[in-house]
């Protein structure tokens, strides 16, 4: 009995008074409590009333998965299970990770090394990912994340004595190429020309500027293995490329689609949110079985990319619907004249209030942590829609 609010442990359901609302206790359903929704209730108002925190509405959505309609809100008369709780938990809580997003055991050496193609290997440290391909003449690295300085050379040594000859940069971010300098000045670094420009400006000795660059597409053959590099335009970052290794049935697109997990805050400070969606589309035109997203605890599949594309498209489309349904002038009337930011803050909140439940009703148990950043990503997407106005999505 977790409720501590004087509910008798009866065998039959009983109704008790609670904060002015009717909470029932269903003895037949393992002692879980439930609430029958009334007209005007939202998951947020129910969470505020029974869980003591409106932000815990995603937990109600999670335990009633499949029962909530596509609008993400309860219907009057609907019986909702409530998560076990006390009413005095001020801490922020989150929906549990679905099976496909949970971490796997890490061996004592501190990293996971997995064969992900005929001669391709994946290394996972924490929630970071890197790949290397063993060719006839040497080893080609795809990214060298900042936290992989020890693990990546050790993992390569476990598989082969061949030298590391090339390092392909997916993009400039430190959490993907911050260990580049560890491999010495002799390694040939390859990346997009925008990545070279960004790294030149940053002047970070840990991330040497790539000496081999390209504009749209470049096929590089190394030791009998083909690496097809293509640029879908600015996305998560300008210069972020798609790396396809046809002989390994493998493709990498970093920080746009992630296997089994929802997008990071602001899509990882994306340079272009429409570009993130476009990059998914370009990737799905290619032939591959194994997908490398750059983060999380497992390697992806083509289906993971298709799911991610559907998820980011849902965020985009639900945000557009919310904008169409929510004129701005009433929000300007609520704030001090001239405080445009305050009015837009209220407007963005209203958009998120409308779009977030719809997106989460579909995704909360399909992608990990969908409840964490979807709200902020709807707000960021709304700003993008007003300024970018793409006509190709
Ligand atoms: Zn990044």
């Amino acid at each position: 009995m977790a409720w501590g609010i004087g509910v008798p442990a009866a065998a039959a359901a009983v109704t008790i008074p609670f904060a002015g609302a009717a909470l029932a206790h269903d003895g037949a359903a393992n002692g879980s409590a439930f609430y029958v929704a009334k007209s005007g209730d939202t998951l947020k108002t129910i969470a505020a009333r029974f869980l003591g925190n409106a932000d815990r509405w995603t937990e109600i959505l999670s335990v009633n998965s499949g029962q909530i309609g596509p609008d993400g809100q309860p219907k009057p008369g609907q019986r909702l299970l409530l998560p076990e709780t006390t009413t005095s938990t001020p801490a922020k809580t989150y929906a549990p990770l679905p099976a496909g997003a949970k971490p796997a055991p890490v061996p004592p050496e501190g990293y996971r090394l997995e064969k992900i193609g005929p001669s391709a290997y994946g290394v996972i440290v924490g929630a970071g990912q890197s790949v290397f391909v063993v060719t006839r003449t040497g080893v080609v690295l795809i990214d060298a994340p900042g936290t992989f300085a020890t693990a990546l050379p050790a993992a390569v040594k476990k598989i082969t004595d061949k030298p590391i000859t090339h390092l392909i940069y997916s993009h400039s971010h430190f959490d993907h190429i911050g260990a580049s300098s560890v491999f010495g000045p002799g390694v040939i670094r390859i990346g997009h020309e925008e990545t070279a420009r960004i790294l030149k400006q940053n002047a970070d000795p840990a991330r040497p500027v790539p000496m081999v660059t390209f504009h749209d597409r470049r096929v590089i053959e190394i030791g009998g293995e083909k690496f097809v590099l293509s640029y879908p335009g600015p996305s998560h970052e300008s210069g972020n490329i798609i790396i396809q290794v046809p002989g390994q049935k493998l493709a990498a697109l970093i920080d746009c689609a992630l296997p089994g997990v929802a997008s990071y805050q602001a899509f990882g400070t994306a340079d272009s949110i429409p570009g993130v969606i476009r990059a998914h589309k370009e990737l799905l035109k290619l032939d591959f079985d194994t997908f490398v997203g750059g983060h999380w605890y497992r390697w992806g599949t083509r289906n993971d990319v298709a799911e991610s594309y559907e998820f980011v498209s849902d965020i985009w489309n639900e945000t557009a619907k919310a904008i169409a349904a929510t004129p701005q002038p009433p929000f300007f009337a609520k704030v001090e004249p001239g405080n445009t930011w305050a009015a837009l803050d209220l407007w963005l909140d209203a958009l998120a209030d409308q779009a977030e439940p719809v997106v989460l009703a579909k995704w909360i148990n399909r992608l990990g942590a969908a409840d964490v950043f979807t709200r902020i990503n709807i707000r960021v997407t709304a700003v993008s829609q007003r300024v970018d106005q793409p006509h190709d999505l």
Side-chain angles (χ1 to χ4, degrees):
M1 168 60 66
W3 286 85
I5 46 173
V7 185
V14 292
T15 302
I16 54 141
F18 180 80
L23 175 70
H25 179 266
D26 186 354
N30 303 323
S32 14
F34 66 88
Y35 168 71
V36 178
K38 291 186 180 57
S39 172
D41 279 339
T42 66
L43 293 182
K44 276 197 169 185
T45 61
I46 296 167
R49 204 183 304 156
F50 295 117
L51 306 184
N53 181 350
D55 290 341
R56 296 185 62 188
W57 66 276
T58 54
E59 294 173 53
I60 302 176
L61 178 61
S62 182
V63 298
N64 292 281
S65 171
Q67 308 300 312
I68 305 288
D71 65 346
Q73 296 300 350
K75 285 176 196 58
Q78 184 173 3
R79 179 185 184 281
L80 295 169
L81 270 174
L82 296 177
E84 282 214 6
T85 187
T86 63
T87 51
S88 58
T89 26
K92 217 172 173 184
T93 59
Y94 302 99
L97 291 173
K102 286 188 192 293
V106 179
E109 56 264 37
Y111 62 87
R112 286 166 50 209
L113 170 60
E114 287 165 1
K115 196 164 193 270
I116 57 173
S119 57
Y121 298 84
V123 185
I124 295 182
V125 178
Q129 302 181 338
S130 175
V131 167
F132 63 92
V133 181
V134 182
T135 77
R136 277 206 309 269
T137 52
V139 176
V140 179
L141 305 178
I142 298 175
D143 282 352
T147 51
F148 283 48
T150 331
L152 192 50
V156 171
K157 212 158 222 144
K158 262 192 175 176
I159 300 298
T160 181
D161 286 332
K162 288 179 181 172
I164 294 165
T165 56
H166 296 75
L167 168 49
I168 301 172
Y169 288 174
S170 64
H171 64 304
S172 87
H173 286 166
F174 187 89
D175 62 326
H176 294 281
I177 62 162
S180 175
S181 64
V182 166
F183 299 94
V187 166
I188 298 169
R189 291 168 176 84
I190 305 163
H192 190 260
E193 59 189 25
E194 273 301 306
T195 298
R197 194 172 69 92
I198 293 164
L199 289 174
K200 216 171 194 175
Q201 276 179 332
N202 277 353
D204 177 5
R207 290 172 286 169
V209 178
M211 50 283 263
V212 178
T213 61
F214 69 100
H215 187 68
D216 282 326
R217 189 171 187 274
R218 180 150 184 181
V219 182
I220 297 180
E221 203 165 321
I222 304 164
E225 193 78 49
K226 235 185 221 173
F227 296 83
V228 183
L229 314 180
S230 57
Y231 184 51
S235 60
H236 161 72
E237 194 192 26
S238 293
N240 194 27
I241 59 172
I242 294 173
I243 303 157
Q244 185 195 13
V245 193
Q248 309 292 325
K249 286 268 189 186
L250 181 148
L253 169 65
I254 305 302
D255 287 348
C256 285
L258 300 172
V261 69
S263 312
Y264 184 39
Q265 170 155 300
F267 305 92
T269 68
D271 286 5
S272 169
I273 294 171
V276 168
I277 298 174
R278 286 184 199 113
H280 280 82
K281 281 206 268 191
E282 290 306 311
L283 177 60
L284 285 168
K285 289 178 187 168
L286 304 180
D287 181 30
F288 65 94
D289 292 334
T290 304
F291 164 65
V292 178
H295 288 286
W296 227 247
Y297 309 110
R298 65 173 172 83
W299 306 101
T301 61
R302 193 177 183 83
N303 187 57
D304 285 315
V305 179
E307 273 212 319
S308 174
Y309 176 54
E310 193 182 337
F311 176 68
V312 294
S313 300
D314 281 351
I315 289 183
W316 184 269
N317 294 331
E318 292 308 324
T319 301
K321 281 187 214 164
I323 289 176
T326 315
Q328 285 182 354
F331 299 94
F332 281 85
K334 290 181 185 189
V335 299
E336 181 190 346
N339 196 341
T340 296
W341 286 174
L344 293 180
D345 182 45
L346 294 178
W347 178 71
L348 290 167
D349 258 344
L351 300 181
D353 283 344
Q354 184 180 326
E356 187 189 20
V358 181
V359 174
L360 291 198
K362 184 171 166 187
W363 290 101
I364 194 154
N365 287 346
R366 280 176 73 186
L367 285 180
D371 56 326
V372 181
F373 293 125
T374 294
R375 185 177 180 84
I376 186 77
N377 285 343
I378 288 164
R379 288 176 57 116
V380 172
T381 298
V383 177
S384 162
Q385 292 196 356
R386 296 307 290 247
V387 298
D388 292 323
Q389 304 214 10
H391 285 253
D392 63 321
L393 296 182

